[in-house]
Amino acid sequence: MSIRVNPNPTPDLLAALAEVQQQVDTATVELSTGSRINKPSDDPAGAAQLAEIHDRGSQNDSFQKSISSITGGFQSADSTLSSVITALERAITLGVQGANGTLSDSDRAVVAQELTGIQTQLIGLANTAYQGQFLFSGTARTQPFVADSAAASGVRYNGNAGVNTVTVGNGYQLQVNLPGSQLFTATGSDMFQSIQDLITSLGNNSGIGTAVAEVRNAFDYVTAQRVFYGNALNQIDSQTAFLNNEKLDLSRQENAVAGADIASVASQLVNNQTARSATLAAIGRMPQDSLFDYLK
Amino acid sequence: MSSLFGTMSIAVGALQAEQGAIDATTNNVANANTPGYSRLQPVLTENDPVIVGPLTLGTGVSLQKLESLRDPILQLRIQEETQQQGQLDAFVSGMQQIEVNFTGSSGDIGTQISNFFSSLSQLARDPASLPLRQAVLTAAGNLANSFHNTADNLSKQQSNLDLNVTQAVQQIDTLTTQIAKLNGQISTLENANHDASAFIDQRDVLIGQLSNLVDVSAIRSDSGLTLTTSNGTALVAGNLSFGLATQTDSSGVQHIFAQGADITGKITSGSLAGALQVRDQKIPTLLSNLDTLAAGLGNALNTANQAGFDLSGTAAGNLFVPPPISGQGAASSLTVAITDPTLLAASSDGSPGSNGNIATLLAVHDQAVAGGQTPNDYYANLLFSVGSDVSNGSAELSASQLILRQLQDQRGSISCVSLDEEAANMVRFQRAFDAAARVVTTVDQMLQTVINMGT
């Protein structure tokens, strides 16, 4: 006797239909999101990795935003220092002129007056602000340099010696400012003092050479300090390149972990749809008749 | 020597037997779509012969009984697998609802942690900016909210499962009462040597439903069927049923009692076990993990904030309301302590333009704040554990469904009604009936002939 088969295959067919329907749904979601991980259970280890990748991506974004927001400040500070250096050059030229013994008192007074103008210009430059923040005030928010006749150089520093750093990479902190006290009024290289001394020596017509040397010293010092901003801009450039690479790498990783293979998912979808139609057809063609229909 | 009356009685016996067989067929056809129905098969046997001199003469056929075709061992396997499937089904559907909270994308805790640190890092470029400070506070609020929402959803689901447990216990009680009643009817019939297959089929259906809810072992004895849970708690003994009861414990969850004993932890399969597993193990573990993360992160950020100075140069206080020391309930109670953005500690030296403390706050991102892991690593691990619970459970569930379908197929191949078969049988029985009737007519004519011999 042959093996008796289950005369009621309907539950099996319905289960097969539900299964293939689920596969169609999964493939559709994967195609519409482009990702094969749409909930943690799709691939638990991959989902955990993906969470880490997203976190690193978000960090990378904030590093890049930080970099673009500090770049302007660096550029502004750099060009300000360039103007300071030009002004100091002019002061040196004026000092050398003033040291010429053929000049009359009134000629020297004219030179001294121009130097006073330069001093005012330097104060202005040292008070440069970028987007409302003084570039050379340390971490203070007050205007850093004010004219003060009580001070020996005629200028008082109102800021502080604080420096700020901004995180631009994992464990990578970039110093973003030099305090004015370090740049312009460092002991022995105080540019305001040197200009003031030059003006005084021109008025007295004595020690002009020494005063010019003092200005030159301040000029050399500021020029050396300016390197900081040039370096910072270079560092930012290379860090941006690094972050861009990292970003690319992260999206590559994300794609490797979660990216749906569109071509294969699409063909899977077609296969599943075909399977679904076939199952439906099978259910539809299940024998409608039995032996009873043929009995007469 | 046989007699004509003897032949007549053989034919009449055959008529009765074939009619009984047609009864079986009719009943099978009528119940072709009845769930749990096991088809009937007429058992026809040859009657004992009579020996007359050198001849051994047959005495016809009789219908001994209508036998129900079923395999009790298979039925047992089906019950076991149904329990397994019930448990996995309840477990997976419970965990899937939990999984929704751990999407790994928009708005979940992990994303909010990343967003918070991004907003902090934006503040570094202009530490005195009030809009940027406000953005950090808003991100901190969102972070706290994501913890609340997740913890609340988990607690809500816990109470929903609690309701499921109560309902399941009520269903179990209804089913055991019905099974006990059927047990009584079956033993009454069987003791009187009657066929109880109709009631046995019904009972199998009910035991199937019961297996879906709870782990049932069936013991068959002379006094009928005894059903117990796998740890030996009696549910049905003969025609008696023992109800289960639910009672709320001190923490507000429903416990299951059988005759006064708490059996909540002893239910090992069926959908009740699946629901209990999610309610009593998975959700509490997840909640306590969330608490650990919320408390660790909150405390670390508080310490970092306290290390700096606010915008007015005063030593700063807490960023979050300090989480409970035990950590319990930290996730659902995490709250930002400050509403004034100037109180955020960006400055490390007291001057308003300093951003030195932001680096300290940002460092929390890479600090081991919970279970020796950074906040994001810890969260990613939670994501993994929820995801793997669902995916492992689903895989086991489909395996179990496949096994159950195969078992049902086997049951079907033994017990299900095939209309073709019934039609063929009907023709066979009808032909035999017709033939027996023809024999009766023929014998009648022969008797006529004999009676008319004398005249």
Side-chain angles (χ1 to χ4, degrees):
Chain A
M1 191 178 154
S2 61
I3 295 169
R4 190 174 192 270
V5 294
N6 184 6
N8 179 15
T10 319
D12 282 352
L13 288 169
L14 290 179
L17 190 63
E19 211 162 284
V20 80
Q21 182 63 49
Q22 171 137 37
Q23 283 165 358
V24 168
D25 289 353
T26 311
T28 313
V29 172
E30 279 185 26
L31 276 184
S32 63
T33 61
S35 168
R36 65 178 188 85
I37 301 180
N38 295 296
K39 49 186 190 310
S41 55
D42 289 339
D43 176 358
Q49 251 179 303
L50 208 56
E52 306 263 4
I53 292 172
H54 285 160
D55 180 49
R56 284 177 56 202
S58 140
Q59 257 195 321
N60 185 297
D61 284 345
S62 28
F63 293 152
Q64 301 234 31
K65 272 190 206 159
S66 295
I67 284 180
S68 67
S69 69
I70 56 177
T71 308
F74 281 140
Q75 283 164 344
S76 170
D78 192 53
S79 69
T80 306
L81 286 187
S82 157
S83 307
V84 166
I85 287 164
T86 313
L88 287 174
E89 259 170 3
R90 175 73 187 143
I92 292 166
T93 314
L94 287 173
V96 171
Q97 271 178 24
N100 190 334
T102 59
L103 251 59
S104 66
D105 282 357
S106 61
D107 289 339
R108 279 197 306 277
V110 171
V111 173
Q113 202 176 357
E114 193 178 344
L115 281 168
T116 311
I118 286 176
Q119 183 78 312
T120 314
Q121 188 198 350
L122 285 175
I123 294 175
L125 286 171
N127 282 332
T128 305
Y130 177 74
Q131 290 185 343
Q133 291 183 68
F134 293 105
L135 287 171
F136 307 113
S137 62
T139 58
R141 303 274 296 170
T142 47
Q143 178 181 320
F145 293 95
V146 287
D148 182 0
S149 53
S153 62
V155 176
R156 184 159 46 80
Y157 181 54
N158 251 349
N160 63 20
V163 293
N164 274 340
T165 57
V166 162
T167 312
V168 294
N170 261 325
Y172 185 178
Q173 313 244 323
L174 193 63
Q175 187 178 335
V176 291
N177 70 317
L178 283 178
S181 54
Q182 183 188 334
L183 265 177
F184 304 127
T185 58
T187 321
S189 312
D190 185 334
M191 69 174 186
F192 297 114
Q193 186 70 54
S194 69
I195 302 284
Q196 189 59 44
D197 287 352
L198 186 55
I199 293 168
T200 313
S201 66
L202 282 170
N204 297 340
N205 195 12
S206 76
I208 299 175
T210 320
V212 170
E214 213 183 311
V215 177
R216 189 164 282 136
N217 182 36
F219 168 84
D220 289 344
Y221 180 76
V222 173
T223 308
Q225 292 288 317
R226 186 188 166 194
V227 173
F228 167 83
Y229 290 100
N231 276 345
L233 284 166
N234 282 341
Q235 279 172 303
I236 277 181
D237 280 349
S238 62
Q239 181 63 10
T240 307
F242 171 78
L243 288 173
N244 281 336
N245 272 338
E246 196 193 26
K247 184 93 191 156
L248 206 64
D249 190 42
L250 284 173
S251 65
R252 238 181 252 134
Q253 283 182 33
E254 173 167 1
N255 206 33
V257 170
D261 179 351
I262 298 295
S264 88
V265 175
S267 73
Q268 243 173 51
L269 180 62
V270 174
N271 286 347
N272 289 336
Q273 280 167 336
T274 313
R276 184 171 178 275
S277 315
T279 315
L280 284 174
I283 295 175
R285 285 191 200 137
M286 257 169 58
Q288 310 282 322
D289 53 358
S290 71
L291 188 51
F292 281 107
D293 297 304
Y294 296 92
L295 297 181
K296 293 198 179 115
Chain B
M1 222 6 234
S2 69
S3 70
L4 276 177
F5 287 107
T7 312
M8 179 73 105
S9 79
I10 291 176
V12 170
L15 281 176
Q16 284 169 346
E18 302 304 337
Q19 198 188 335
I22 288 209
D23 266 3
T25 299
T26 313
N27 203 38
N28 284 346
V29 172
N31 285 295
N33 288 320
T34 309
Y37 178 75
S38 303
R39 67 195 169 101
L40 291 175
Q41 196 179 41
V43 180
L44 298 170
T45 47
E46 193 182 345
N47 290 340
D48 294 343
V50 287
I51 300 165
V52 182
L55 292 176
T56 307
L57 297 170
T59 57
V61 68
S62 59
L63 178 63
Q64 266 206 333
K65 61 174 176 179
L66 298 181
E67 182 185 44
S68 243
L69 288 173
R70 65 162 68 82
D71 181 346
I73 308 288
L74 189 60
Q75 205 62 39
L76 212 60
R77 277 289 295 126
I78 290 177
Q79 283 162 19
E80 281 167 8
E81 205 54 48
T82 309
Q83 291 165 21
Q84 178 80 359
Q85 198 202 328
Q87 182 201 355
L88 289 168
D89 205 15
F91 178 75
V92 169
S93 78
M95 289 306 293
Q96 274 172 339
Q97 288 175 46
I98 291 174
E99 192 189 15
V100 179
N101 296 297
F102 298 88
T103 50
S105 62
S106 59
D108 77 335
I109 295 173
T111 321
Q112 296 299 357
I113 292 176
S114 300
N115 287 350
F116 172 74
F117 285 110
S118 298
S119 71
L120 257 181
S121 119
Q122 296 319 302
L123 180 59
R125 69 185 153 97
D126 187 1
S129 154
L130 287 181
L132 289 179
R133 282 170 169 266
Q134 186 57 54
V136 173
L137 286 194
T138 308
N142 290 344
L143 175 58
N145 273 339
S146 69
F147 272 107
H148 297 177
N149 290 342
T150 311
D152 285 355
N153 286 347
L154 289 180
S155 306
K156 260 183 221 146
Q157 207 196 331
Q158 211 170 12
S159 14
N160 287 347
L161 286 169
D162 226 26
L163 208 61
N164 285 358
V165 167
T166 321
Q167 286 168 350
V169 166
Q170 284 165 357
Q171 282 174 9
I172 290 171
D173 280 352
T174 314
L175 289 170
T176 49
T177 315
Q178 289 172 336
I179 291 170
K181 203 170 141 205
L182 284 170
N183 260 350
Q185 287 164 322
I186 291 167
S187 54
T188 312
L189 283 174
E190 281 181 345
N191 289 342
N193 263 333
H194 286 303
D195 178 44
S197 59
F199 293 126
I200 293 175
D201 285 343
Q202 286 179 31
R203 187 178 65 184
D204 280 344
V205 170
L206 293 179
I207 293 177
Q209 290 174 5
L210 188 63
S211 299
N212 197 34
L213 291 169
V214 71
D215 44 341
V216 187
S217 314
I219 305 158
R220 281 165 220 278
S221 64
D222 293 342
S223 59
L225 186 79
T226 304
L227 292 179
T228 65
T229 66
S230 60
N231 75 314
T233 307
L235 295 173
V236 176
N239 58 2
L240 294 175
S241 66
F242 304 95
L244 299 180
T246 53
Q247 206 175 318
T248 318
D249 79 348
S250 56
S251 57
V253 294
Q254 298 282 352
H255 279 235
I256 302 165
F257 286 86
Q259 291 125 63
D262 187 347
I263 58 160
T264 314
K266 293 174 181 161
I267 293 167
T268 53
S269 59
S271 68
L272 192 55
L276 287 173
Q277 196 183 355
V278 176
R279 188 194 74 174
D280 295 346
Q281 288 164 33
K282 291 299 169 185
I283 292 183
T285 309
L286 279 173
L287 278 174
S288 111
N289 286 340
L290 286 178
D291 285 345
T292 308
L293 181 58
L297 188 59
N299 284 327
L301 288 171
N302 278 349
T303 310
N305 201 55
Q306 281 167 353
F309 298 88
D310 65 20
L311 199 54
S312 62
T314 319
N318 284 325
L319 179 56
F320 290 99
V321 175
I325 305 282
S326 67
Q328 207 182 350
S332 55
S333 65
L334 193 68
T335 317
V336 183
I338 51 179
T339 49
D340 177 359
T342 64
L343 295 178
L344 193 67
S347 167
S348 56
D349 60 6
S351 58
S354 161
N355 71 5
N357 201 51
I358 290 179
T360 315
L361 283 162
L362 278 177
V364 173
H365 181 272
D366 300 315
Q367 237 173 56
V369 299
Q373 291 172 313
T374 69
N376 280 91
D377 282 351
Y378 192 86
Y379 181 73
N381 271 348
L382 280 187
L383 207 69
F384 172 77
S385 91
V386 172
S388 62
D389 276 340
V390 174
S391 82
N392 292 346
S394 305
E396 285 178 47
L397 179 60
S398 4
S400 169
Q401 281 169 335
L402 191 65
I403 294 173
L404 192 58
R405 275 209 303 280
Q406 286 171 350
L407 290 172
Q408 298 280 21
D409 263 354
Q410 284 184 32
R411 187 196 169 274
S413 72
I414 295 170
S415 304
C416 251
V417 175
S418 153
L419 290 177
D420 294 338
E421 200 176 52
E422 299 307 327
N425 282 341
M426 194 183 75
V427 172
R428 207 154 55 93
F429 299 140
Q430 191 194 359
R431 290 285 172 255
F433 186 87
D434 288 351
R438 172 65 61 192
V439 172
V440 173
T441 318
T442 309
V443 173
D444 181 40
Q445 285 169 356
M446 286 162 78
L447 281 171
Q448 288 288 337
T449 311
V450 172
I451 290 165
N452 292 337
M453 256 180 357
T455 56

